[in-house]
Amino acid sequence: MKPVKIGPYVLPSNVVLAPMAGVTDRPFRQLCKAMGAGMAVSEMVASNSLLWGSEKTRRRANHEGEVDPISVQIAGADPAMMAQAAQYNVDQGAQIIDINMGCPAKKVCNVMAGSALLQNEPLVKRIVEAHRGQVQAQNADPGLRVTITLPTVEESTQLLGSDASAA
C-alpha cells in the first residue's frame, strides 16, 4: 500500500483514527499510535475563541507526549474564527488541521457547521482560504485535511427535514 502523505508529513501507517467526541482524548490517541495508527485526530475543538479557556478545550489542546504528526479537528462556520482557531491550535502544537465537514450531529449542523457546510460551497471556499492565509501568514504550514463523512439516510432526513421515504 502506498504511504499516506499530508503536507510534509508521511504517516508511518495508513491507519487513521478519526476524531470522536468523548473518545479520542490524548491517552486514547497515544494508545492508538502505540498500537500502529499512523495518525490519531483529536476530538473536535470549537472555533469560538470564547471557549478556548475552558477546561475541556485546554485538555483537548494538550498534546504533551504525543507522537507526530499531531492533528486537531476544528469546527465552525465563520471563516475568520476558523482561521483563528487553526492558528490557536498550531500554537498549541498541531501540525495538521482537520476542518470538520462531515459531522451530522444536530447541535453541530444547527450552527451551519459540520456536514451542513457542504450546502454552502462559497462558504467552504472562504473558510479554507482564511485558514491558509492565517496559518501561512504566521510562518506555519500544517497540512490541510478536510473531513467528509457522508451521513446515513436517517441522519440526512433529520438534518435536512426531508422525507427520505419519498426517494
Side-chain angles (χ1 to χ4, degrees):
M1 204 178 268
K2 190 175 179 181
V4 175
K5 185 176 180 188
I6 301 173
Y9 306 101
V10 178
L11 303 187
S13 86
N14 293 345
V15 176
V16 176
L17 175 68
M20 295 174 279
V23 176
T24 52
D25 59 6
R26 184 170 42 111
F28 188 68
R29 292 191 307 270
Q30 289 173 310
L31 175 64
C32 290
K33 285 181 179 180
M35 299 300 290
M39 184 169 74
V41 184
S42 75
E43 297 176 86
M44 179 174 64
V45 176
S47 61
N48 185 341
S49 62
L50 297 175
L51 303 175
W52 295 347
S54 73
E55 177 61 31
K56 183 193 274 188
T57 300
R58 281 197 309 269
R59 196 172 53 249
R60 288 178 177 176
N62 180 348
H63 306 289
E64 187 178 321
E66 282 194 62
V67 177
D68 292 350
I70 296 170
S71 179
V72 174
Q73 184 184 76
I74 59 175
D78 180 90
M81 288 176 82
M82 293 286 284
Q84 290 171 347
Q87 187 60 52
Y88 168 80
N89 282 285
V90 167
D91 292 344
Q92 301 303 311
Q95 297 163 313
I96 298 171
I97 300 297
D98 179 305
I99 300 173
N100 183 321
M101 293 189 198
C103 180
K106 233 180 202 178
K107 72 179 186 178
V108 175
C109 290
N110 283 343
V111 294
M112 211 34 209
S115 61
L117 283 174
L118 298 177
Q119 298 174 35
N120 189 337
E121 291 177 31
L123 177 58
V124 168
K125 182 179 180 193
R126 289 194 309 272
I127 288 170
V128 171
E129 287 172 346
H131 162 85
R132 285 197 183 278
Q134 173 77 30
V135 173
Q136 288 174 349
Q138 298 295 320
N139 297 318
D141 192 20
L144 175 63
R145 178 172 161 269
V146 178
T147 60
I148 298 177
T149 305
L150 300 175
T152 65
V153 171
E154 293 80 17
E155 290 167 336
S156 296
T157 301
Q158 292 171 359
L159 294 174
L160 304 175
S162 61
D163 183 3
S165 62

